[in-house]
């Protein structure tokens, strides 16, 4: 059930004068602008929700020059629903027709990829669809085949980025298209190409009231990766990046230990759930050694392609990607690996050289 911004008034009241989540700020820590912090936006939105002031054009753009900021939600000791009230504010703005042109233009994005393969199992490739990289479809279908699964790949755009931008009607329409495609296929098993696709198909569909076929089984693609993964010829130190959508599938959010100075683990203090454990088991099966950062699992900083930012303000999204890569290099990792094909493609685009530094987990399994 979608909530209005006014229903978050208590949360906005709590956030508006609290600066404690500043270390988690994704955009503010790049721009060094106070207005980009969660506290500043909460103050602005509290005034708007309370009817004290309307939002100016500049303030509306400020609201969109960010992700939904779920990393601040994870960092907060009270886990205030930051991503919820940012999304609610965007829905309010969008319904009034006041969304920036960059946001409206992003909704015109379409994928050039076509359905591929033939089988009774579906690979729902919504993240791959946004990358427009056909080779990723080939990699995924090859891994499924190696696991004894004949599958059809459906590269469809789900409703997640439309939802993130506040476009409720478009989000519901796109989610309905995905649901109908699954229904028409007659498939009973659906593998999701990444965490965002899985979140959109399971959690977002419920939020939007879109009914999925009752007899389908929804699984993460990483299950098949684990089944076929073999030790790599030359293992090394890698950093596993969790996309922001994974937090929506987490079992628990970070504990207070995660925000203590010099937190060195265990990783479970940063959030738990199969969405985090499964891909790490795949890396273990490949013989990879993982490096640690407090900015991971539910506290992972954005790769830039989260919440539609790569489609609305691509230059800012690229800055986030390069900052994420820079911080990962500081951990001593020889490679950055992610379970999100969209994050992998976006971060590779952000690299000026040595694009092999970033890999989609499936590509390591495929090799």
């Amino acid at each position: 059930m979608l909530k209005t911004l006014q229903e978050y008034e208590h949360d906005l009241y709590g956030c508006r004068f609290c600066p404690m989540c500043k270390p988690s700020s994704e955009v503010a820590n790049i721009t060094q602008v106070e207005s980009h912090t969660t506290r500043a936006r909460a103050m602005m939105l509290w005034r708007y929700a309370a009817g004290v002031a309307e939002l100016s054009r500049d303030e509306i753009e400020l609201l969109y020059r960010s992700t939904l900021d779920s990393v601040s939600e994870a960092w907060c000791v009270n886990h205030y629903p930051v991503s919820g009230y940012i999304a609610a504010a965007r829905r309010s703005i969008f319904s009034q027709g006041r969304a920036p042109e960059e946001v409206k233009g992003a909704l015109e994005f379409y994928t050039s990829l076509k359905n591929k393969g033939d089988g009774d199992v579906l690979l729902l490739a919504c993240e791959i669809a946004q990358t427009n990289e056909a080779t990723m479809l080939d990699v995924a279908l090859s891994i499924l085949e190696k696991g004894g699964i004949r599958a059809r790949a459906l590269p469809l755009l789900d409703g997640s980025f439309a939802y993130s931008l506040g476009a409720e009607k478009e989000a519901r329409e796109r989610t309905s298209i995905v649901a109908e495609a699954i229904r028409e296929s007659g498939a009973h098993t659906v593998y999701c190409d990444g965490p965002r696709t899985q979140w959109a198909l399971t959690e977002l569909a419920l939020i939007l009231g879109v009914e999925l076929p009752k007899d389908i089984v929804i699984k993460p693609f990483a299950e098949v990766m684990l089944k076929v993964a073999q030790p790599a010829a030359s293992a090394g130190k890698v950093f596993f990046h969790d996309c922001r959508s994974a937090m929506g599938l987490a079992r628990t959010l970070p504990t207070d230990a995660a925000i203590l100075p010099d937190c060195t683990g265990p990783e479970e203090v940063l959030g738990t759930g199969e969405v985090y454990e499964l891909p790490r088991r795949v890396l273990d099966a490949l013989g990879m050694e993982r490096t640690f950062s407090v900015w991971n699992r539910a506290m992972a900083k954005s790769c830039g392609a989260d919440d539609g930012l790569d489609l609305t303000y691509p230059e800012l999204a690229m800055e986030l990607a390069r900052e994420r890569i820079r911080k990962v290099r500081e951990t001593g990792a020889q490679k950055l690996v992610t379970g999100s094909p969209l994050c992998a493609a976006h971060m590779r685009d952000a690299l000026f050289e040595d694009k092999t530094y970033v890999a989609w987990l499936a590509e390591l399994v495929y090799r």
Side-chain angles (χ1 to χ4, degrees), residues 3 6 30 73 116 159 219 234 257 272 306 308 337 342 351 363:
K3 295 170 64 175
Q6 285 69 29
I30 290 176
E73 182 175 336
K116 193 167 188 177
K219 297 183 177 185
S234 57
T272 65
D306 302 293
V337 183
L342 179 58
L351 286 165
E363 293 164 344

Side-chain angles (χ1 to χ4, degrees), residues 73-74 79 247-248 250-255 268-272 276 298:
E73 182 175 336
H79 299 310
M247 196 185 96
R251 186 171 72 247
T252 64
L253 294 182
T255 67
E268 287 74 14
V269 303
L270 309 176
T272 65
Y276 300 130

Side-chain angles (χ1 to χ4, degrees), residues 212-227:
L212 300 176
K214 289 182 170 52
D215 56 349
I216 64 166
V217 177
I218 301 169
K219 297 183 177 185
F221 177 43
E223 278 192 9
V224 186
M225 293 190 216
L226 182 59
K227 181 179 178 181

Side-chain angles (χ1 to χ4, degrees), residues 149-171:
I149 300 169
R150 288 181 61 250
R152 276 176 289 168
L154 297 185
L156 301 172
L157 295 177
D158 60 41
S160 60
F161 77 80
Y163 165 82
S164 297
L165 300 182
E168 180 183 345
K169 177 175 174 288
E170 289 81 356

Side-chain angles (χ1 to χ4, degrees), residues 170-181 183 209-211:
E170 289 81 356
R172 187 171 286 107
E173 287 175 351
R174 293 179 185 192
T175 304
S176 297
I177 288 171
V178 170
E180 186 57 30
R183 189 173 291 110
V210 175
E211 187 174 342

Side-chain angles (χ1 to χ4, degrees), residues 55-69:
L55 296 179
S56 69
R57 184 172 62 181
D58 289 344
E59 287 173 326
I60 289 173
E61 184 171 338
L62 178 67
L63 181 63
Y64 278 99
R65 289 185 65 84
S66 174
T67 64
L68 290 181
D69 203 13

Side-chain angles (χ1 to χ4, degrees), residues 88-104:
R90 290 180 176 184
R91 286 196 299 276
S92 175
I93 294 302
F94 201 94
S95 67
Q96 297 171 33
R98 301 187 67 202
E101 291 304 313
E102 292 89 345
V103 172
K104 296 175 184 176

Side-chain angles (χ1 to χ4, degrees), residues 18 46 59 92 103 119 154 172 188 196 224 237 246 251 257 267 270 276 290 297 347 364:
C18 177
W46 179 82
E59 287 173 326
S92 175
V103 172
L154 297 185
R172 187 171 286 107
H188 296 292
R196 195 190 77 172
V224 186
K237 290 185 177 182
R251 186 171 72 247
E267 272 201 350
L270 309 176
Y276 300 130
R290 288 181 274 119
R297 294 202 177 209
M347 286 190 284
L364 299 185

